């Protein structure tokens, strides 16, 4: 009996997580399919994680945490966001793919997500490190009926949704670094990249790219001083699909509030996570550096800096140095 079971495990292992049909197992073990089934039940009782699927056969349950369409949609409480999912094992950039899908007319709420990106990008074409199975690399397509100048706050809205979801799922306290970073203990765990397809008076799509380091245990040398993951900070491994669900649910809610009432009602929530408010910072903008005290953001999400001379500077886009 035990040798038969050993043989079963051997055959399943050789299949590398793929299915082996009951028929093939029966043949190789020289027994009936019913006997195979019985052995499987026994093995399961012993604690082996085996899976039986009708018409496919048996396999060793994947221990890899995945972010497939099924994993994301099962238990998702959002109505529109995540209804359409494009899942890839590998992709150059979910953001790039999302842009293409927008042009092909994909619906608002479409989620593009991958286990790995080979050409993940940050702002200004900077590289975004996106290793396989450990992080969340996703792009969400929104199609709000708004003029294009309403697009920038979507970065802030997404940041709030992500920060809250991280807090809930990992039990750590993230901070938002205006406009698009989420930090834990001063290190970056999340980057957000919001892009736009628009006509002169109408948004076609806002594409929100979100990269979250979740279960990484280490980073390449150049990122070590500045990057961290939820696992490193919380000490626990997190099921990525659950985090994605919580983000989509919040993003859906906040998008609605924003469309109906503007950014003002979301500002307080954003400020409660803000890392820069009240601090002296330097904003590196494309036009040069501006230093001063970050005194807050406007109802439009624009950062306000008070210079030495007491003058208020409005910062629309920059890299912030705290
Ligand atoms: C960002 O850019 O922070 C936005 C990153 C957006 C990535 C997502 S992943 C899904 C979607 N598909 C894409 O192709 N992109 C989006 P930025 O503020 O420019 O920061 C980029 C800088 O962060 C780099 O120059 C590195 O210094 C650093 N960096 C790169 N990879 C990182 C990582 N995994 N964790 C922390 N920091 C990283």
């Amino acid at each position: 009996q035990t040798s038969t079971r050993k043989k079963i495990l051997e055959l399943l292992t050789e299949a590398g997580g793929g299915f082996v049909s009951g028929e093939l197992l029966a043949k190789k073990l020289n027994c009936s399919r019913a006997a195979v089934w019985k052995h499987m039940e026994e093995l399961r009782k012993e604690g082996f994680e085996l899976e039986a699927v009708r018409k496919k056969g048996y396999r060793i349950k994947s221990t890899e945490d995945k972010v497939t369409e099924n994993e994301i949609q099962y238990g998702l409480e959002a109505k529109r966001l995540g209804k359409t999912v494009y899942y890839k094992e590998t992709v150059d950039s979910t953001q790039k793919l999302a842009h293409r899908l927008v042009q092909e007319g994909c619906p608002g709420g479409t989620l593009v997500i991958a286990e790995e990106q080979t050409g993940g990008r940050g702002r200004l074409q900077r590289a975004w490190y996106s290793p396989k199975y450990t992080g969340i690399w996703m792009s969400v397509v929104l199609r709000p009926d708004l003029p294009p100048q309403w697009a920038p706050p979507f970065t802030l809205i997404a940041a709030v949704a992500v920060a809250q979801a991280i807090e809930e799922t990992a039990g750590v306290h993230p901070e938002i670094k205006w406009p698009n970073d989420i930090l834990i203990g001063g290190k970056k765990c999340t980057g957000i990249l919001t892009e736009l397809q628009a006509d002169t008076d109408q948004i076609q799509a806002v594409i929100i790219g979100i990269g979250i380091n979740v279960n990484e245990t280490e980073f390449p040398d150049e990122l070590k001083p500045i990057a961290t993951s939820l696992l490193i900070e919380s000490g626990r491994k997190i099921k990525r699909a659950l985090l994605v669900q919580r983000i989509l649910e919040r993003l859906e809610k906040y998008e609605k509030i924003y469309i109906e009432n503007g950014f003002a009602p979301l500002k307080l929530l954003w400020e409660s996570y803000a890392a820069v408010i009240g601090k002296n910072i330097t904003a590196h903008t494309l036009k040069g550096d501006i230093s001063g005290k970050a005194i807050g953001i406007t109802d439009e999400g624009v950062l306000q800096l008070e210079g030495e001379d007491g003058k208020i500077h409005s910062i629309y886009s920059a890299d912030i140095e705290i």
Side-chain angles (χ1 to χ4, degrees):
Q1 289 291 36
T2 44
S3 69
T4 314
R5 288 187 198 146
K6 274 222 177 90
K7 183 82 190 153
I8 290 179
L9 288 175
E10 211 178 291
L11 290 166
L12 293 178
T13 304
E14 275 167 16
F19 282 104
V20 184
S21 72
E23 195 181 345
L24 186 72
L25 284 170
K27 210 167 132 199
K28 294 225 169 170
L29 300 166
N30 217 349
C31 66
S32 69
R33 288 178 64 170
V36 170
W37 184 82
K38 258 184 123 173
H39 284 301
M40 289 292 171
E41 285 307 296
E42 289 303 318
L43 283 164
R44 276 194 187 149
K45 272 187 209 146
E46 286 173 37
F48 290 99
E49 302 253 24
L50 302 174
E51 188 179 20
V53 174
R54 267 191 55 215
K55 293 195 176 142
K56 287 191 169 173
Y58 303 90
R59 68 172 170 186
I60 296 172
K61 244 194 199 162
S62 165
T63 49
E64 210 67 77
D65 168 45
K66 295 228 179 155
V67 286
T68 58
E69 179 175 356
N70 270 340
E71 296 277 354
I72 284 168
Q73 288 180 338
Y74 184 75
L76 175 65
E77 281 178 25
K79 291 208 173 64
R80 293 176 297 112
L81 271 61
K83 227 179 147 193
T84 308
V85 176
Y86 289 84
Y87 166 80
K88 300 269 174 206
E89 278 271 325
T90 299
V91 76
D92 51 353
S93 154
T94 59
Q95 199 73 358
K96 257 194 180 163
L97 176 53
H99 273 286
R100 277 204 300 277
L101 293 168
V102 163
Q103 262 154 15
E104 289 164 15
C106 74
T110 296
L111 173 73
V112 183
I113 189 161
E115 301 290 2
E116 167 188 53
Q117 296 185 119
T118 52
R121 285 284 167 266
R123 293 178 299 163
L124 308 169
Q125 296 302 314
R126 295 170 189 144
W128 183 259
Y129 172 67
S130 328
K132 202 163 193 177
Y133 297 132
T134 56
I136 293 173
W137 327 120
M138 69 183 201
S139 299
V140 182
V141 175
L142 301 179
R143 291 190 179 273
D145 189 6
L146 295 171
Q149 59 271 29
W150 277 58
F154 276 102
T155 299
L156 309 183
I157 294 165
V160 173
V162 173
Q164 286 188 312
I166 286 177
E167 203 165 33
E168 183 184 324
T169 317
V172 290
H173 293 290
E175 285 191 310
I176 302 174
K177 187 173 145 204
W178 187 93
N180 70 320
D181 291 351
I182 297 179
L183 314 178
I184 305 173
K187 287 182 163 186
K188 182 160 169 174
C189 69
T190 302
I192 299 170
L193 174 69
T194 303
E195 293 175 317
L196 193 60
Q197 288 194 24
D199 305 328
T200 40
D201 56 353
Q202 162 81 45
I203 289 176
Q204 287 303 331
V206 176
I207 303 169
I208 307 175
I210 301 174
I212 310 175
N213 303 321
V214 183
N215 292 324
E216 289 78 7
T217 49
E218 57 177 8
F219 289 93
D221 283 344
E222 72 275 14
L223 290 178
K224 265 184 193 144
I226 56 167
T228 192
S229 74
L230 303 188
L231 172 60
I232 292 172
E233 298 300 324
S234 71
R236 59 188 201 229
K237 212 165 170 185
I238 285 146
K239 194 163 157 51
R240 290 172 298 148
L242 291 182
L243 185 52
V244 173
Q245 291 176 341
R246 303 294 87 79
I247 293 169
L248 294 176
E249 288 157 5
R250 288 204 165 79
L251 196 53
E252 178 165 297
K253 206 163 65 186
Y254 297 151
E255 181 199 21
K256 187 162 182 281
I257 293 175
Y258 179 58
I259 290 171
E260 287 170 2
N261 303 303
F263 186 67
L266 296 160
K267 201 173 96 165
L268 256 185
L269 202 52
W270 186 88
E271 282 178 342
S272 72
Y273 289 97
V276 297
I277 306 302
K279 290 194 182 132
N280 282 309
I281 63 169
T282 300
H284 302 288
T285 75
L286 289 176
K287 287 187 205 139
D289 292 357
I290 304 171
S291 292
K293 188 166 152 189
I295 53 173
I297 54 172
T298 66
D299 284 351
E300 288 75 45
V302 178
L303 183 65
Q304 301 294 99
L305 276 197
E306 188 182 82
E308 298 256 292
D309 52 0
K311 234 178 101 185
I312 307 294
H313 301 271
S314 292
I315 312 287
Y316 294 90
S317 163
D319 279 308
I320 301 298
E321 193 182 319
I322 302 178

